[in-house]
């Protein structure tokens, strides 16, 4: 069998012609415990299979020393079955998934997955006057994704992407460079290439139209990982195994935030929170921008201490909010202005990055003349963490790290570990690491909330919650948001979200605001935020807009058990909350460049309204399932396209046939959430003859609750056989979790005729069937220590 596999593989390799490097000369090959070494005339390759789905290649030019340190990788090579064969003209390194063929002359390295060629090195490593380059041959028909957060369309092929985190204020439908770049490429052939190097550079996705992928950098490691899988979810699971899984965020973070730039006083903040309560609009957190430490926008950054004139009793304010179920989050920045109250302190304590003479590097930017905290200097790192520790001890529940690109980062500035350009793209990443590791050490039972707009590959493992920067408050600004969130979800940053309603500009557009908040129900974080000229908070909008916003927020809270389960699944497998439709249909070429609709988890199909005055919307329904309108219950066949009428109080939303959707009872904050009493909607579809769903529960706040065995997973299964419908509930409970009985209102949709009979655990129960909306209501009292079975006899 192995010989036959090798023959097929060699046939594929020799059947496809790629450009090769005729200047690199093969010298010798040797195998070590976990890797393979190939020496050439100009350097050395080290090839390391991590597992059947991930393989790493490093080139070390002659005269350089191997740098093993990665800012990204968290796994070690696993013991797997590897077959090697060395012949006169080539070397084969075969796993059960990814395999490598090294052709000796002309020299070339080629990668495949299960006998399907992925890509090959073109020239491989090249040294130019100013950069170092790794380039590859790719096929002409593949769509390319990645490179971090951009607004370019889903297919990013044809672009040369700068790798330099930079804010783009007021962007709309097109932005080539934004706050969060990543040296990561994903292909429609379901593989990815990650360039494991921090310094700035470029990612060229075939901009010259010659089927070439290239990575250019100013310095550093010549290391990359090739990752491949049979499915998109599998690929992202592999990538987040490589770079780290997102910790489960606190449950309250899935609620509604009150935020603006910004609240000027304790009085204003208290009044705003109270207005949400008075209006009965759910709220879980309030975010206080820069005015918590200074009266003016400019000149005070770096104070990082409550200004008592404006916030006379901050500790009491935080405690009072906490009693109401509202968490307090403060903005912080890595800049300390020369006019701030802490300037002398940071100079004396050696906190700041330096110039070439060893003095604090000072420079001007929008907020004033400043220095930058050197988080790579242990003194700077400790000083900054102590700020966060003091705030956490006051009761602050979340950290907002702003301007973390860093927004201005002069090339001449020196950090303890290198130049500004060498660490620029990982500054936000390591800032999040500083906070995450500080919480892990000082507050080990608390799940940190870390909101930032800049990071790097793998920042998800530090609990980073990214947002898409200072988007314009226009329809154009809204139109780019699904693309950005979907792209970042594919790159491991599953909680990418936007300032709901848009941030930049004083544009009062109630329809835009309404549609953006409706989209926000189905994006990872629900956080309206904007410049203060036009209110971001729904409580300050006119009555009709406020009512529509309240309806959206209430729906967001109803979906809390579903959304929290999505967050758990992301923590376990890297599965995005927002998913492109091609996850369902990877071979449908029409979907590969589409972000007009997306999947919210596995079971919702969402089509945002991104233009004014839209009366109907074209929706494609993925072919693997039938779909039900979430609001009208109308059924749509999979693989079809329909014009759907729109409504002012919702966006087109559909549920997969066969799905179970848990929905919570009304609440003012997530602190009121009762996981023991909820509605469970089952979208019966005879064509989905068997379907299973889960609901994850824990206390919503303890760090690593699942790993500590302090959780429960409720499992729901529906099975249709002829005219019988069988439903089964069972639970998986951690040894430290006390599972309680569940009061469930089971609502079964798409029951076209009144059932003949219903039995719960063998006992007949009343049939409560609604002929108008074709639903069946079954109250269930479930002792979760037992398996519960419901049998329904349907009429013809």
């Amino acid at each position: 069998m192995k010989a036959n596999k090798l023959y097929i593989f060699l046939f594929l390799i020799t059947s496809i012609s790629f450009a090769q490097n005729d200047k690199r000369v093969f010298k010798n090959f040797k195998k070590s415990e976990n890797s393979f070494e190939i020496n050439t005339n100009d350097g050395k390759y080290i090839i390391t299979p991590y597992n059947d789905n991930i393989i790493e290649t490093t080139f070390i030019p002659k005269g350089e020393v191997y740098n093993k340190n990665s800012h990204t990788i968290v796994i070690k090579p696993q013991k797997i079955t590897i077959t090697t064969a060395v012949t006169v003209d080539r070397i084969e390194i075969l796993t059960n998934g990814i395999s490598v063929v090294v052709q000796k002359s002309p020299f070339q390295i080629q990668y495949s997955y299960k006998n399907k060629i992925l890509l090959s090195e073109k020239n491989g490593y090249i040294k130019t006057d100013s950069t170092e380059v790794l380039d590859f041959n790719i096929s002409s028909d593949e769509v390319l994704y990645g490179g971090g957060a951009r607004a370019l369309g889903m297919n990013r092929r044809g672009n040369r992407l700068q790798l330099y985190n930079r804010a783009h204020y007021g962007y709309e439908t097109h932005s080539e460079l934004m706050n969060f770049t990543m040296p990561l490429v994903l292909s429609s052939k379901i593989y990815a290439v990650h360039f494991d190097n921090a310094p700035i550079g470029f990612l060229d996705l075939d901009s010259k139209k010659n089927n070439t992928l290239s990575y250019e950098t100013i310095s550093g490691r010549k290391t990359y990982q090739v990752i491949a899988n049979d499915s998109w979810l599998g690929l992202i699971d592999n990538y987040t195994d490589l770079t780290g899984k997102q910790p489960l965020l606190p449950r309250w973070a899935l609620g509604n935030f009150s935020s603006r730039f910004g609240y000027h006083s304790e009085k204003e903040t208290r009044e705003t929170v109270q207005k949400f309560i008075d209006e009965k609009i759910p709220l879980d957190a309030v975010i206080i921008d820069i005015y918590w430490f200074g009266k003016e926008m400019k000149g005070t950054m770096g104070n990082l201490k409550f200004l008592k004139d404006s916030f006379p009793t901050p500790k009491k304010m935080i405690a009072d909010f906490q009693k109401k179920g509202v968490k307090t989050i403060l903005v912080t920045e890595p800049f300390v202005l020369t006019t701030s109250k802490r300037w002398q302190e940071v100079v004396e304590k050696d906190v700041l990055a330096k110039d070439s003479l060893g003095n604090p590097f000072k420079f001007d930017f929008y907020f004033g003349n400043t220095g930058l905290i050197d988080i790579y200097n242990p003194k700077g790192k400790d000083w900054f963490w102590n700020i966060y520790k003091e705030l956490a001890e006051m009761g602050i529940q979340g950290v907002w790290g702003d301007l973390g690109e860093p927004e201005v980062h002069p090339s001449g500035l020196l950090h303890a570990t290198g130049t500004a350009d060498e660490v620029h793209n990982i500054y936000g990443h390591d800032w999040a690491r500083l906070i995450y590791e500080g919480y892990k050490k000082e507050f080990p039972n608390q799940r940190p909330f870390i909101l930032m707009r800049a990071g790097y590959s793998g920042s998800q493992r530090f609990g980073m919650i990214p947002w898409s920067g200072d988007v314009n408050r226009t329809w154009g600004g809204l139109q780019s948001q699904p693309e950005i969130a979907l792209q970042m979800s594919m790159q491991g940053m599953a909680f990418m979200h936007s300032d709901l309603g848009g941030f930049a500009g004083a544009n009062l557009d109630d329809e835009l605001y309404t549609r953006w908040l409706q989209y926000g129900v189905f994006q990872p974080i629900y956080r309206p935020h904007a410049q203060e000229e036009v209110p971001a908070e729904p409580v300050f909008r006119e009555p009709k807009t406020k009512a529509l916003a309240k309806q959206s927020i209430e729906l967001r809270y109803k979906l809390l058990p579903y959304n929290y389960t999505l967050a758990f699944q992301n923590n376990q497998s890297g599965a995005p909350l927002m998913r492109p439709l091609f996850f369902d249909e990877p071979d449908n070429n029409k979907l590969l460049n589409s972000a007009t609709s997306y999947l919210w988890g596995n079971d919702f199909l969402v089509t945002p309204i991104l233009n004014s005055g839209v009366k109907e919307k074209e929706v494609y329904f993925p072919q693997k399932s039938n779909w039900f309108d979430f609001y009208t219950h109308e059924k749509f066949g999979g693989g079809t396209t329909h014009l759907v009428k729109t409504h002012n109080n919702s966006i087109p939303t559909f549920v997969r046939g066969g799905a179970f959707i848990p929905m919570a009872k009304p609440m003012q904050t997530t602190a009121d959430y009762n996981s023991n009493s909820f509605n469970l909607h089952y979208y019966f579809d005879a064509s989905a003859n068997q379907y299973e769903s889960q609901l994850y529960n824990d206390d919503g706040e303890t760090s690593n609750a699942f790993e500590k065995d302090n959780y429960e997973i409720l499992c729901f299964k529906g099975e249709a056989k002829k005219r019988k419908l069988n439903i089964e509930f069972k639970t998986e409970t951690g040894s430290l979790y006390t599972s309680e009985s569940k009061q469930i209102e089971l609502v079964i949709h798409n029951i076209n005729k009144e059932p003949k009979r219903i039995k719960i655990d063998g006992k007949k129960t009343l049939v409560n069937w609604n002929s108008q909306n074709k639903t069946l209501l079954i109250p269930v009292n479930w002792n979760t220590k037992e398996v519960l079975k419901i049998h329904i006899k349907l009429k013809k």
Side-chain angles (χ1 to χ4, degrees):
M1 185 66 184
K2 285 184 178 178
N4 186 48
K5 176 180 173 184
L6 184 60
Y7 171 79
I8 295 171
F9 185 68
L10 293 176
F11 174 77
L12 288 168
I13 294 298
T14 55
S15 298
I16 299 177
S17 176
F18 281 121
Q20 300 164 329
N21 188 342
D22 56 6
K23 295 180 181 179
R24 185 157 293 130
V25 180
F26 173 85
K27 293 293 186 182
N28 56 59
F29 164 79
K30 62 181 180 180
K31 180 180 177 182
S32 64
E33 183 180 358
N34 294 317
S35 61
F36 302 87
E37 185 178 306
I38 298 165
N39 289 285
T40 67
N41 62 315
D42 59 345
K44 176 171 64 176
Y45 281 91
I46 299 175
I47 298 175
T48 307
Y50 283 102
N51 53 43
D52 290 330
N53 300 95
I54 305 170
I55 199 159
E56 177 180 282
T57 300
T58 296
F59 183 72
I60 308 163
K62 190 171 285 186
E64 289 193 13
V65 177
Y66 181 29
N67 176 9
K68 296 183 179 181
N69 297 321
S70 170
H71 296 278
T72 302
I73 308 309
V74 298
I75 64 171
K76 301 293 183 184
Q78 300 172 4
K79 289 186 177 181
I80 58 172
T81 300
I82 302 175
T83 302
T84 59
V86 181
T87 65
V88 173
D89 60 350
R90 63 180 30 139
I91 300 161
E92 292 97 18
I93 304 168
L94 308 179
T95 77
N96 289 323
I98 288 188
S99 297
V100 183
V101 166
V102 181
Q103 182 174 288
K104 295 181 180 179
S105 182
F107 188 87
Q108 186 182 61
I109 298 180
Q110 190 170 70
Y111 302 89
S112 69
Y113 178 72
K114 295 184 178 179
N115 298 327
K116 180 178 72 174
I117 291 177
L118 304 177
L119 77 168
S120 66
E121 287 197 356
K122 187 172 186 176
N123 294 296
Y125 171 76
I126 310 165
K127 175 75 172 175
T128 70
D129 290 340
S130 58
T131 62
E132 298 176 275
V133 181
L134 296 169
D135 66 358
F136 301 82
N137 300 295
I138 57 174
S139 58
S140 60
D141 59 345
E142 55 192 302
V143 174
L144 299 179
Y145 312 96
R150 323 257 176 174
L152 296 169
M154 285 296 285
N155 185 2
R156 293 177 173 179
R157 186 167 184 156
N159 290 282
R160 184 170 182 260
L161 306 177
Q162 187 177 359
L163 297 173
Y164 188 90
N165 292 351
R166 178 178 292 158
H168 183 175
Y169 176 83
Y171 72 92
E172 295 188 353
T173 58
H174 186 83
S175 181
E176 295 182 11
L177 185 62
M178 293 175 61
N179 316 73
F180 200 131
T181 66
M182 277 192 268
L184 173 66
V185 184
L186 300 97
S187 165
S188 57
K189 292 165 68 173
I190 314 185
Y191 74 87
V193 184
H194 174 254
F195 298 96
D196 190 4
N197 188 45
I200 64 174
F202 288 88
L203 195 58
D204 193 313
L205 308 185
D206 195 27
S207 68
K208 296 178 181 177
K209 313 292 186 194
N210 61 352
N211 299 327
T212 302
L213 163 68
S214 65
Y215 168 72
E216 310 165 39
T217 183
I218 59 168
S219 63
R221 287 156 46 90
K222 275 63 73 174
T223 296
Y224 61 91
Q225 295 89 26
V226 178
I227 311 152
N229 202 286
D230 299 308
S231 71
W232 280 105
L233 287 176
L235 182 70
I236 296 171
D237 192 10
N238 295 146
Y239 171 72
T240 51
D241 281 342
L242 180 74
T243 61
K245 295 293 199 253
Q246 177 102 26
L248 183 58
L249 78 177
R251 185 158 48 211
W252 61 261
L254 294 172
N256 179 36
F257 290 67
S258 177
S259 184
R260 72 162 74 163
F261 182 33
Y263 301 119
H264 292 260
S265 67
E266 179 177 334
K267 179 176 181 294
E268 183 181 26
T269 311
R270 284 180 177 273
E271 289 173 350
T272 301
V273 169
Q274 189 58 45
K275 193 160 181 61
F276 275 90
I277 296 170
D278 294 342
E279 298 278 359
K280 293 183 170 55
I281 296 179
L283 181 68
D284 262 89
V286 60
I287 300 179
I288 307 177
D289 213 315
I290 61 175
Y291 301 113
W292 72 274
F293 54 69
K295 285 186 178 293
E296 305 298 329
M297 185 187 303
K298 297 182 179 182
T300 61
M301 190 171 288
N303 284 348
L304 297 176
K305 186 173 288 187
F306 273 103
L307 182 65
K308 287 301 182 75
D309 284 353
S310 304
F311 291 83
T313 58
K315 193 170 184 178
K316 185 176 187 305
M317 175 191 74
I318 295 164
D320 290 346
F321 289 164
Q322 178 71 18
K323 290 174 185 175
K324 297 174 181 179
V326 177
K327 309 297 187 289
T328 305
I329 300 167
L330 300 181
V331 75
T332 56
E333 300 89 1
F335 300 96
V336 181
L337 300 188
T338 57
T339 54
S340 75
K341 295 176 181 178
R342 290 189 186 262
W343 175 255
Q344 196 59 40
E345 176 188 346
V346 296
V347 171
E348 292 173 356
K349 292 185 177 180
D350 195 22
V351 166
L352 303 173
K354 305 290 197 302
D355 61 21
S356 59
L357 299 177
N359 299 314
F361 193 110
K362 294 183 285 186
F363 54 96
D364 293 325
F365 81 138
Y366 178 80
F367 294 94
N369 185 255
T370 193
L372 178 68
I373 298 170
D374 189 359
I375 60 174
Y376 300 99
N377 177 347
K379 296 177 183 177
K381 179 181 177 181
D382 291 346
W383 182 88
F384 212 6
W385 166 247
N386 284 329
I387 298 289
Y388 292 116
K389 182 181 177 182
E390 290 173 8
L391 294 173
E393 288 170 344
M394 285 184 69
I396 294 299
Q397 292 285 311
V399 172
W400 174 16
D402 202 6
L403 314 182
E405 295 77 24
E407 183 164 288
V408 178
H409 203 190
S411 294
L413 180 148
L414 299 175
H415 290 275
T417 57
T419 67
D421 288 346
E422 288 173 328
V423 304
H424 177 80
N425 286 338
I426 57 170
Y427 188 94
H429 175 82
D430 287 324
W431 184 12
R433 181 204 301 264
L434 180 159
I435 298 167
Y436 177 76
E437 291 180 348
Y439 267 85
K440 194 172 181 179
K441 179 181 178 182
E442 304 281 355
F443 310 100
N445 292 322
Q446 183 176 336
R447 301 179 195 175
F449 178 84
I450 304 171
L451 179 68
M452 290 189 173
R453 72 184 192 186
Y456 179 70
S457 314
S459 290
Q460 73 276 354
R461 74 175 180 268
F462 302 129
M464 184 187 289
I465 306 294
W467 89 97
S468 59
D470 295 340
V471 59
N472 217 19
R473 196 168 359 193
T474 59
W475 288 100
L478 173 58
Q479 287 160 18
S480 60
Q481 296 313 305
E483 173 206 339
I484 293 170
L486 289 169
Q487 286 271 357
M488 290 295 277
S489 291
M490 293 169 65
Q491 298 172 72
M493 303 303 302
F495 288 89
M496 171 58 83
H497 65 286
S498 62
D499 291 341
L500 294 181
F503 174 81
N507 180 24
L508 178 59
D509 185 328
D510 291 325
E511 183 189 8
L512 170 65
Y513 180 81
T514 297
R515 292 307 192 192
W516 210 320
L517 266 63
Q518 289 167 351
Y519 159 68
V521 174
F522 303 98
Q523 73 159 17
I525 301 294
Y526 202 93
R527 188 182 55 83
H529 178 70
Q531 293 170 333
E532 63 184 328
E533 291 83 1
V534 174
E537 308 92 336
V539 292
F540 298 118
R541 304 299 288 238
E542 57 85 28
K544 180 182 177 182
T545 304
K546 178 167 60 177
L548 289 170
K550 181 180 181 182
Q551 188 173 340
S552 294
I553 294 167
E554 288 173 343
L555 175 57
R556 173 74 177 194
Y557 277 76
K558 287 179 183 178
L559 290 173
L560 180 62
Y562 180 86
N563 292 346
Y564 192 59
T565 302
L566 293 187
F568 169 71
Q569 291 169 350
N570 169 258
N571 163 251
Q572 293 295 301
S573 70
L577 287 74
M578 291 177 67
R579 306 171 188 178
L581 294 191
F582 58 75
F583 275 36
D584 243 33
E585 296 184 39
D587 296 324
N588 188 340
N589 292 335
K590 293 180 181 179
L591 300 178
L592 294 177
N593 193 29
S594 175
T596 55
S597 295
Y598 61 90
L599 299 171
W600 178 244
N602 186 65
D603 294 330
F604 278 100
L605 171 65
V606 181
T607 302
I609 295 177
L610 307 176
N611 291 282
S612 176
V614 174
K615 302 299 182 185
E616 56 185 12
K617 190 79 174 174
E618 185 176 272
V619 178
Y620 172 74
F621 296 90
Q623 63 183 5
K624 291 183 180 179
S625 307
N626 293 317
W627 298 86
F628 294 89
D629 189 300
F630 185 52
Y631 305 102
T632 69
H633 315 298
E634 182 180 357
K635 182 178 179 179
F636 297 88
T640 64
T641 302
H642 293 268
L643 276 176
V644 176
K645 290 184 179 179
T646 65
H647 305 278
N648 70 344
N649 64 342
S650 65
I651 57 176
T653 307
F654 308 89
V655 182
R656 190 186 296 272
F660 290 87
I661 306 295
M663 297 183 71
K665 304 291 187 181
M667 67 190 91
Q668 180 61 33
T669 81
T670 59
D672 302 328
Y673 171 58
N674 182 358
S675 62
N676 298 317
S677 177
F678 58 92
N679 296 335
L680 182 64
H681 293 259
Y682 173 42
Y683 288 82
F684 168 67
D685 181 14
S687 65
N689 54 6
Q690 186 168 307
Y691 202 91
E692 297 184 30
S693 296
Q694 293 183 338
L695 191 164
Y696 175 79
N697 281 328
D698 59 22
D699 66 6
E701 57 186 18
T702 300
S703 180
N704 298 315
F706 179 76
E707 290 74 15
K708 294 173 180 175
D709 233 21
N710 194 1
Y711 71 93
E712 70 174 356
I713 298 176
L714 309 183
C715 305
F716 312 115
K717 180 180 177 180
E719 187 175 26
K721 290 182 178 179
K722 294 183 179 179
R723 294 189 302 278
K724 294 180 180 179
L725 174 57
N726 300 319
I727 298 172
E728 181 180 277
F729 295 175
K730 61 181 180 180
T731 185
E732 173 191 326
T733 307
S735 61
L736 298 181
Y737 191 88
T738 303
S739 184
E740 300 180 19
S741 294
K742 306 291 187 266
Q743 303 296 320
I744 301 173
E745 292 285 337
L746 176 62
V747 182
I748 305 177
H749 298 258
N750 195 34
I751 302 295
N752 293 318
K753 293 183 179 179
E754 184 176 11
K756 286 185 176 181
R757 62 178 175 269
I758 302 172
K759 289 185 177 180
I760 301 177
D761 285 338
K763 297 179 180 179
K764 283 187 179 181
T765 188
L766 292 175
V767 175
N768 185 356
W769 177 69
N770 187 314
S771 60
Q772 185 173 354
N773 59 25
K774 311 299 182 186
T775 59
L776 182 63
L777 177 63
I778 305 176
V780 177
N781 183 2
W782 176 29
N783 176 4
T784 54
K785 294 178 181 179
E786 308 289 339
V787 175
L788 184 140
K789 295 183 179 181
I790 301 172
H791 300 285
I792 302 171
K793 181 70 172 178
L794 303 173
K795 292 180 180 177
K796 288 185 179 180

